[in-house]
Amino acid sequence: MPYIHPHELVERALELSRADGCVVIADEESTANLRWAGNALTTNGVTRGRRLTVIATVAGAQGTASGVVAREAVTLDEVESLVRAAEAAARDAGPAEDAQPLLPGRPASADFTAPPAETSIEVFAEFAPALGRAFARARAAGQLLYGFARHELTSSYLGTSTGLRLRHDQPTGTVELNAKTEDLAASAWVGAATRDFTDVDVTAMHTEATKRLGWGAKRIDLPAGKYETLLPPTAVADLMIYLSWSAGGRDATEGRTVFSKPNGETRLGERLSPLPLTLRSDPARPGLEAAPFVLTHSSGDDSSVFDNGQPLAATDWIKDGVLANLLTTRHSSELTGLPLTPPVDNLELAVDDQAGAPTLDEMIARTERGLLLTCLWYIREVDPASLLLTGLTRDGVYLVEHGEVVGAVNNFRFNESPVGLLERITEVGRTEPCLPREWGDWFTRAAMPPVRVADFNMSSVSQAS
């Protein structure tokens, strides 16, 4: 069977459509991966896949309905059945609350008809030998290394009946390295996000994990309580990502979130942090590049299939400590009167003075007494009105005294709101790209600083290890 280019599937689906409006997204994905356990590679491989999504819109007396159907590995001969299924789904559905006119056409992406980008096992050409050298060092040090590396490259082709022809290629790479003592009594986790693995320093990652295992040679039991706590970038990312997911403009105006005020008002313009912290998304941010237009396969609280192709711009969610924007679609923007600010697939927290911002090691050196976390795990929401989250610490909590790490302490369950945490940050370090531990399967493009927080609430001792 001859190879069919993704853009040909898009054009064929649009040609066959009998709906009042049609949006088609073809995603071509290739993935390369390595896994290792006990200082040895266990698996490696490359996979490829294709998914075609058809969104049909049908106008009726009560409003416009939409139907969405997606299938894997669609051939040219199967496109018509997919289009008819989407049209049937639209006819059977009630009017879509988020219905809007499809966006008008504009100049097509220059590479819209070009073949999809692909990854291969060669993406690990430098990484794999460096990993092998880390295995040798680990064996000599009495350690066991576990983990995986994954690189995914997705080419997305978006076409609409109004003439949009847009394409975006998204590389996504992650590395997670877990070092354990030979008796498995202690472990340390380090992770990294990357676009192409050329910037992943395996030696530095292993050195950091080894340092943390060394800190764990002494064990210290501490009770639950509120502690001054240093959070590294990965833990800050997990908390700020959840904050961003919870920042829907409509939910805020309807009184359902931490960003709500009485009488349909929101906390926009309110100071959330005494420090000049800025939380922002920018699809063009170097190293964290993301789709520069809305590319969504379904409608949700903060997304709308009718907005596909909407240009995305750099957006400040918090500016110099003040809440500046909330998530909106075109529909929720009209409903609430808030500016149109769709989500962007990256997130950065920083202060302007990066040159003067300390590293995490410098923050440790000026800590009189406090805890140092490495990562958070099993985060769940307790109360949306305050955005109270609960979760566990994992793979290393350490006690810092007089500027030095003196030992590993037991794990804790924590109860914290990222919004409340912003109020109690007393020091902000240098922002750097990082991999969220909890949300890394869904959100990898993050840059965060280490922070010092007063009275981080360790609500109970955890037996997790």
Side-chain angles (χ1 to χ4, degrees):
M1 182 179 296
Y3 176 77
I4 304 300
H5 288 277
H7 78 274
E8 295 178 291
L9 293 175
V10 172
E11 299 295 356
R12 180 62 174 158
L14 291 170
E15 176 186 310
L16 290 165
S17 174
R18 299 170 188 162
D20 296 304
C22 188
V23 178
V24 183
I25 304 172
D27 297 303
E28 194 92 359
E29 177 185 293
S30 58
T31 304
N33 68 83
L34 301 176
R35 290 184 177 273
W36 55 92
N39 300 330
L41 281 175
T42 56
T43 60
N44 66 83
V46 176
T47 61
R48 288 181 172 81
R50 169 180 287 178
R51 185 175 181 85
L52 189 67
T53 302
V54 176
I55 303 159
T57 69
V58 176
Q62 304 301 316
T64 299
S66 64
V68 182
V69 178
R71 291 178 187 165
E72 306 283 346
V74 176
T75 66
L76 199 61
D77 291 339
E78 296 169 328
V79 172
E80 184 167 9
S81 67
L82 182 59
V83 171
R84 300 292 168 251
E87 292 169 349
R91 288 193 298 269
D92 292 342
E97 185 190 24
D98 61 327
Q100 296 281 316
L102 296 183
L103 290 158
R106 59 180 187 269
S109 297
D111 56 353
F112 187 76
T113 60
E118 292 185 358
T119 189
S120 72
I121 208 71
E122 290 303 311
V123 76
F124 303 123
E126 297 179 9
F127 175 86
L131 184 64
R133 293 189 290 273
F135 291 160
R137 291 193 299 272
R139 284 190 289 269
Q143 300 172 2
L144 298 171
L145 298 184
Y146 298 79
F148 64 89
R150 174 185 171 92
H151 189 252
E152 179 180 297
L153 189 47
T154 302
S155 293
S156 297
Y157 298 74
L158 168 67
T160 71
S161 54
T162 55
L164 284 178
R165 298 293 187 274
L166 301 174
R167 172 183 172 166
H168 176 67
D169 293 339
Q170 186 63 68
T172 302
T174 60
V175 185
E176 297 196 37
L177 179 70
N178 196 290
K180 299 180 182 294
T181 54
E182 282 186 312
D183 60 3
L184 305 182
S187 66
W189 177 92
V190 290
T194 179
R195 288 175 61 85
D196 58 13
F197 279 83
T198 60
D199 57 348
V200 175
D201 189 336
V202 178
T203 300
M205 293 180 70
H206 183 216
T207 298
E208 180 64 24
T210 298
K211 178 173 71 174
R212 295 178 184 181
L213 285 180
W215 287 342
K218 180 179 180 182
R219 308 292 294 182
I220 302 167
D221 289 330
L222 288 180
K226 294 184 177 181
Y227 294 89
E228 178 177 277
T229 301
L230 297 174
L231 300 178
T234 182
V236 177
D238 279 323
L239 296 172
M240 291 300 111
I241 288 168
Y242 206 99
L243 182 152
S244 72
W245 285 344
S246 306
R250 180 175 181 178
D251 286 345
T253 59
E254 293 179 352
R256 297 201 295 265
T257 76
V258 68
F259 301 111
S260 302
K261 287 174 67 174
N263 303 316
E265 299 295 322
T266 71
R267 295 175 66 182
L268 285 169
E270 183 175 321
R271 178 163 293 282
L272 301 182
S273 174
L275 300 179
L277 281 162
T278 294
L279 182 70
R280 75 190 319 254
S281 298
D282 180 357
R285 199 277 194 191
L288 304 180
E289 293 91 344
F293 54 86
V294 171
L295 187 62
T296 185
H297 300 73
S298 62
S299 291
D301 290 343
D302 303 308
S303 62
S304 171
V305 293
F306 294 91
D307 289 352
N308 269 302
Q310 175 69 41
L312 298 174
T315 304
D316 291 330
W317 308 107
I318 298 171
K319 177 65 174 175
D320 294 331
V322 175
L323 183 63
N325 281 295
L326 296 168
L327 295 168
T328 57
T329 62
R330 284 188 294 162
H331 169 67
S332 63
S333 175
E334 289 182 0
L335 202 64
T336 61
L338 298 174
L340 173 59
T341 46
V344 177
D345 194 23
N346 63 27
L347 197 64
E348 178 178 26
L349 182 70
V351 291
D352 287 341
D353 182 17
Q354 286 296 294
T359 65
L360 179 58
D361 285 343
E362 290 169 340
M363 294 169 69
I364 291 171
R366 50 194 189 222
T367 299
E368 186 60 27
R369 189 175 193 273
L371 297 181
L372 168 65
L373 299 187
T374 53
C375 53
L376 305 177
W377 180 54
Y378 207 71
I379 299 171
R380 298 294 182 269
E381 186 178 276
V382 176
D383 177 22
S386 62
L387 200 58
L388 181 65
L389 306 179
T390 191
L392 303 172
T393 64
R394 189 178 187 184
D395 288 320
V397 184
Y398 306 99
L399 178 63
V400 182
E401 291 185 325
H402 310 301
E404 294 185 359
V405 178
V406 296
V409 305
N410 44 273
N411 279 305
F412 295 97
R413 173 169 292 280
F414 70 87
N415 285 320
E416 272 292 348
S417 164
V419 176
L421 180 144
L422 286 170
E423 298 175 356
R424 304 195 318 278
I425 292 177
T426 58
E427 186 178 21
V428 181
R430 193 171 303 160
T431 294
E432 61 186 52
C434 61
L435 177 66
R437 175 74 184 273
E438 177 75 346
W439 309 124
D441 288 343
W442 299 275
F443 199 112
T444 62
R445 283 169 280 281
M448 297 283 152
V451 301
R452 185 188 306 275
V453 182
D455 297 329
F456 193 89
N457 184 19
M458 301 297 187
S459 55
S460 62
V461 171
S462 169
Q463 299 307 311
S465 60

